[in-house]
Amino acid sequence: MTSPATRMHAVTDETAQIVDLVLDYSRRRMLASDTPLDKPISPFELNRLAGRTIDEHGIGATRAIALFEHVLAPACLTTNHPQYLSFIPTAPTKAATAFDLVVSASAVYGGSWLEGAGAVHAENEVLAWLAREFGLPASAGGVFVQGGTLGNLSALVAAREHARFLLHEAGTDAPGRWKVVCSAEAHSSIASAARVMDVDVLPVAPGADGMLRGDAVRAALDEHGASVFAVVATAGSTNFGIVDDMASIAALKQEFDFWLHVDGAYGLAAMLSPLARDRFAGVESADSLIVDPHKWLFAPFDACALIYRDPEAGRRAHTQHAEYLDTLTETSEWSPSDYAAHLTRRARGLPLWFSLATYGGAAYRDAISSSLQLAQDIAREISSRDHLRLVRDPQLSVVVFERDGWSREDYNVWSSRLLESQRAFVTPSSHAGRPNTRFAIVNPTTTFEQLVGILDTM
């Protein structure tokens, strides 16, 4: 017999019904082949349709799941839809999505070896596989964090701590202001990390093709000297999918003392494909890097792989110390919480582990290659149309283009019409003050015919 205090945690007929309701909905959603794009609705409409759901007595699981399925979920965009082509989409495999349920159902804690050794072992196998793919040494390692913003922040915190450590060892004073060099087209998370850390960003102009090169970085290093503790190279910019010239940037490490961080949140996954691998020469020299599996490695939200060449540098920067944590920190065991700006963590790398273990790396290479090829195919189609113009030739799977004569408002109207008709989610963008739009392709089920159909609406 259960009491009111234990009702929510006891295994009863009620909880069995709740589990069945949730699993039934999850199964139908995961196996559906016709899930619509869906679209946001106004706060007024959501309030009207959903009504009050939280009170002292509960509305019951049956009504709650029905509200989610028929009111709340349709007001959320389906980010893994093949015609969701804005920002950077997600396209988790069926195995990864299914196993995400297992991670929650197992009550796995992924912060320490003591509490989650099996999960940490599996996550570390994935990180080791990625490190090998990127040319890092066997001693490299890291952790899965929430997303690219936290990954970049954690890497830069480790970079600054490493610089401080070297200055301390040399008996040299720290500079008045620490600085980080990056492309003027680097992701906004670099500037965000710098604000949190109270350091300065030195944005360097890339070439006309969007690539940051070593000669431009050299000028910044010459000017600012030892105050630069890190240089960030981008391996696939979010807006254009441009890969910086990492080899020429990495070559500067022979003359200057800086930490090389590679922000590959979106694009570094393309290195798994033989169609793009050559673009990433130099990444093997990185001191740290990130890649987001929830983007182009087909994992569910949220997961960013942060990998250090020397994991001890990450551990030195991030290990938290407290009396109740001594049992974790006074050991050589690998605890993921020691390698980023976090403590409590979900074992968010497990869905990717399960998917890779299920399908194998070759399936990932094929899926990534299909998006790379599709980007080239649709770019040629765009170039063949008199009223359309590529802003830049695509390097990876982001295709940016303009429609002659269109203002920002024209793009807005067109984008809204596409979503309202449930044809596609393609948002306006801009570059150098000119409006444009873009296809961000990561879903291997997106087809050339679907993209051509969108172009036909312009």
Side-chain angles (χ1 to χ4, degrees), residues 23-268:
L23 292 180
D24 176 65
Y25 171 77
S26 300
R27 177 181 175 83
R28 287 185 286 108
R29 180 78 187 222
M30 282 188 280
L31 298 180
S33 59
D34 58 351
T35 303
L37 264 168
D38 290 324
K39 57 186 178 181
I41 62 176
S42 70
F44 174 82
E45 276 298 289
L46 271 176
N47 284 329
R48 184 182 69 83
L49 294 171
R52 183 179 178 184
T53 61
I54 307 297
D55 61 26
E56 281 297 296
H57 305 290
I59 62 173
T62 301
R63 184 179 170 196
I65 196 73
L67 275 171
F68 180 79
E69 179 173 2
H70 301 296
V71 177
L72 303 179
C76 302
L77 287 170
T78 303
T79 58
N80 64 343
H81 192 284
Q83 285 166 267
Y84 182 110
L85 298 159
S86 292
F87 313 119
I88 300 295
T90 186
T93 67
K94 298 303 182 184
T97 301
F99 203 76
D100 206 32
L101 294 175
V102 175
V103 175
S104 293
S106 302
V108 172
Y109 176 69
S112 72
W113 187 269
L114 175 64
E115 297 158 285
V120 175
H121 173 85
E123 288 186 319
N124 283 351
E125 186 177 2
V126 178
L127 292 167
W129 180 76
L130 290 171
R132 287 195 301 272
E133 290 291 327
F134 303 145
L136 294 179
S139 56
V143 62
F144 287 95
V145 297
Q146 176 189 10
T149 296
L150 184 57
N152 283 331
L153 172 63
S154 298
L156 291 176
V157 167
R160 183 177 60 180
E161 186 64 22
H162 179 68
R164 285 173 171 165
F165 176 77
L166 293 180
L167 289 178
H168 176 74
E169 290 288 294
T172 305
D173 292 335
R177 293 286 296 176
W178 289 107
K179 298 168 185 175
V180 56
V181 171
C182 64
S183 169
E185 296 190 11
H187 192 266
S188 58
S189 61
I190 303 302
S192 176
R195 286 194 300 273
V196 171
M197 297 171 64
D198 192 27
V199 301
D200 295 333
V201 174
L202 302 175
V204 177
D209 56 4
M211 293 175 64
L212 181 65
R213 292 180 169 82
D215 54 354
V217 173
R218 176 192 292 277
L221 295 174
D222 282 335
E223 180 179 354
H224 297 278
S227 64
V228 175
F229 69 92
V231 175
V232 178
T234 302
S237 61
T238 301
N239 201 24
F240 280 97
I242 299 298
V243 180
D244 288 340
D245 184 358
M246 291 184 288
S248 66
I249 297 170
L252 296 173
K253 289 172 68 67
Q254 300 174 22
E255 305 172 51
F256 301 91
D257 190 8
F258 63 87
W259 177 291
L260 176 59
H261 174 63
V262 174
D263 177 4
Y266 149 62
L268 192 54

Side-chain angles (χ1 to χ4, degrees), residues 1-18 55-62:
M1 184 141 180
T2 62
S3 69
T6 61
R7 173 190 166 202
M8 297 185 296
H9 301 84
V11 178
T12 64
D13 290 343
E14 180 188 31
T15 52
Q17 180 193 26
I18 292 170
D55 61 26
E56 281 297 296
H57 305 290
I59 62 173
T62 301

